[in-house]
Amino acid sequence: MEEIKQVIAVRTDLGMGKGKIAAQVGHACVLGAEYTRKVHPEWYSQWWPDQKKVAVKVPGIKELQDVKRHAIEIGLPYSVVVDAGHTQLAPGTTTCISVGPAPENMINKVTGMLKLL
């Protein structure tokens, strides 16, 4: 049985502090897991016991949009995180995207070339 994982791609151009990044990644994990639970319950239930996650970085919004576009093309669940603007960022700033939980071989086609955060 193929491993299931979730990858969160985080923008590095925003100058977010470590705590802000952690909060945004947390949002992405929850949003992505909940969406996958609804649309691919078989992937979600296989992923749930170990909850394998990887955080990677993208240099800006264009690259984050490329991740989203590629996920859509191959049919992967994704969730985009848009900040409310209460602390470090302007309201409506897109900070990160989660891809999956989904089969590792599919996710690697989208995020496998990105460097770890």
Side-chain angles (χ1 to χ4, degrees), residues 16-85:
M16 293 183 285
K18 291 177 186 176
K20 184 68 170 178
I21 291 170
Q24 297 302 296
V25 169
H27 291 317
C29 291
V30 172
L31 291 169
E34 183 61 14
Y35 181 68
T36 300
R37 186 182 66 79
K38 293 176 183 173
V39 299
H40 286 286
E42 70 285 3
W43 291 350
Y44 177 84
S45 62
Q46 188 180 340
W47 171 81
W48 180 253
D50 295 325
Q51 299 182 23
K52 183 175 182 181
K53 297 174 204 69
V54 178
V56 297
K57 54 188 173 181
V58 292
I61 189 67
K62 179 197 175 301
E63 294 80 4
L64 189 136
Q65 291 169 336
D66 289 344
V67 169
K68 177 182 172 182
R69 189 170 22 262
H70 200 178
I72 291 169
E73 286 171 2
I74 64 173
L76 288 171
Y78 68 90
S79 293
V80 175
V81 177
V82 177
D83 194 65

